[in-house]
Amino acid sequence: MSLDFRYRRLAYVALNVTDLARSDRFYRDMLGLQAAGATAHGEHLYRCSRRHHDLILHQGPVPGLRRVAWQMESADDLAKMRRHLAQLGLAVHTLDADYCASMGLDQAFQITEPHTGATFEYCAELVDADTPYTPTVTRIVRLGHVVLGARDYETTERFFTDELNYRVSDRIDGAVTFMRCFPNPLHHSFGLSKSDSNRLHHVNFMVTDIDDIGRALHRARKLDVPVVFGPGRHPPSESIFLYFLDPDGNTLEYSFGMEEFPEVAPREPRRLPLALESIDYWGAAPQGEFGKGGAIEARAK
């Protein structure tokens, strides 16, 4: 089947946290996000760019992923995506107008991704904020990517490439797949990690300067934030990275730099061996809690 819908980018990620006030402080003071109001359902909005919001925090009993949102290139692409998902037999749920307005959206809908159980949200227009994003502790350039742990890893990868128009950039053999939402050029805005359960693996924020990685390491130590991997440099994307935990144990990443792909005639995806050397040039090893937190909530508004 020809997939003729096109993505613009990863739009935003919504996380469940167990203590919203505590997480507000962490995402402001450690991560460097800027508060951006609340949705019609009381979720707290945060920005790291000129856009209306990049991250949503929701208080819930179990920490982890609430939903992932993707912005299509146009309203026509959004309509094509909706028709395609319906043809696949997936239930498509339209978000109400008041809720969309509180998130700076003209329209949006949700599905349950059938292999991970994650809620995926799709939109076309996401307005810019009224005021510029002002960096504080870190110069974040964008929300970078989200990685999910997938129990049925191979089937899930096929669904994303064959039905959702993601393109594989690289694989670590039998363990990790890095994908870009076509034709977004970034090496990966989505990833899958083979896992014994479906769960959130990590959420990434890209920074503008390598010094932000070093400063974050020392800030994490000062604030007693667990660092679970890095600093290091990923061979697949060439990104310099640092992974740390939020107060609920969700894994977050700062990264600097990333390979970009042309829309036409990109290089072929590589298959790297399943070894530590394939995830870090510098010899760091992930700690036990790396990518372990984060339940996936069933579809929610």
Side-chain angles (χ1 to χ4, degrees):
M1 181 182 294
S2 175
L3 303 177
D4 58 355
F5 46 83
R6 295 165 61 92
Y7 294 86
R8 187 175 303 281
R9 64 185 183 90
L10 171 63
Y12 49 89
V13 173
L15 297 178
N16 286 319
V17 297
T18 59
D19 184 332
L20 192 53
R22 179 182 63 176
S23 293
D24 283 337
R25 292 191 294 273
F26 174 87
Y27 280 84
R28 180 193 62 208
D29 298 340
M30 173 62 203
L31 206 62
L33 303 188
Q34 181 175 320
T39 71
H41 294 167
E43 301 159 311
H44 288 192
L45 301 172
Y46 281 88
R47 298 169 53 204
C48 61
S49 70
R50 71 178 192 280
R51 300 180 181 88
H52 186 274
H53 65 277
D54 299 279
L55 184 81
I56 301 173
L57 297 181
H58 172 267
Q59 180 147 337
V62 179
L65 181 70
R66 186 164 171 83
R67 62 188 190 271
V68 181
W70 301 95
Q71 185 177 6
M72 310 305 293
E73 276 196 350
S74 67
D76 184 50
D77 289 295
L78 184 67
K80 289 176 180 175
M81 171 63 93
R82 184 177 186 123
R83 285 195 297 272
H84 179 67
L85 295 170
Q87 288 170 357
L88 293 177
L90 298 177
V92 177
H93 305 275
T94 301
L95 301 189
D96 69 65
D98 289 343
Y99 189 46
C100 284
S102 72
M103 294 196 296
L105 305 171
D106 62 340
Q107 58 175 320
F109 61 82
Q110 295 178 345
I111 64 160
T112 298
E113 193 283 311
H115 302 288
T116 62
T119 298
F120 275 28
E121 194 163 292
Y122 297 92
C123 63
E125 296 296 331
L126 174 60
V127 301
D128 286 350
D130 294 332
T131 58
Y133 163 64
T134 303
T136 55
V137 296
T138 302
R139 288 165 291 185
I140 300 173
V141 64
R142 66 173 65 88
L143 170 68
H145 59 261
V146 60
V147 175
L148 301 185
R151 188 170 48 213
D152 193 350
Y153 165 75
E154 292 82 4
T155 302
T156 307
E157 182 194 301
R158 283 196 299 275
F159 182 75
F160 277 84
T161 57
D162 295 354
E163 301 296 349
L164 297 183
N165 207 13
Y166 290 71
R167 307 295 168 88
V168 174
S169 298
D170 286 309
R171 297 180 179 88
I172 295 176
D173 195 20
V176 184
T177 305
F178 304 93
M179 289 183 271
R180 55 194 193 276
C181 54
F182 183 80
N184 185 289
L186 292 173
H187 179 276
H188 59 283
S189 48
F190 183 70
L192 288 173
S193 175
K194 189 170 186 176
S195 175
D196 56 3
S197 63
N198 294 327
R199 63 171 180 257
L200 172 68
H201 190 280
H202 71 267
V203 179
N204 165 277
F205 296 85
M206 297 176 69
V207 298
T208 63
D209 195 307
I210 191 172
D211 290 338
D212 287 313
I213 302 294
R215 292 189 186 106
L217 176 63
H218 294 295
R219 188 166 64 256
R221 288 172 174 164
K222 181 179 179 181
L223 298 175
D224 291 326
V225 172
V227 172
V228 290
F229 192 17
R233 185 170 186 175
H234 287 312
S237 61
E238 300 293 335
S239 302
I240 295 172
F241 65 83
L242 182 74
Y243 293 88
F244 48 94
L245 302 182
D246 82 354
D248 282 298
N250 296 313
T251 301
L252 305 174
E253 179 191 17
Y254 279 145
S255 67
F256 169 70
M258 178 173 275
E259 181 186 7
E260 297 190 11
F261 284 67
E263 179 174 341
V264 178
R267 69 163 174 79
E268 291 296 314
R270 300 168 296 192
R271 186 177 292 275
L272 285 71
L274 180 57
L276 281 176
E277 291 76 14
S278 294
I279 57 173
D280 184 20
Y281 282 123
W282 297 353
Q287 303 301 304
E289 296 305 310
F290 170 68
K292 299 299 185 184
I296 292 177
E297 179 185 329
R299 194 188 78 84
K301 288 184 177 179

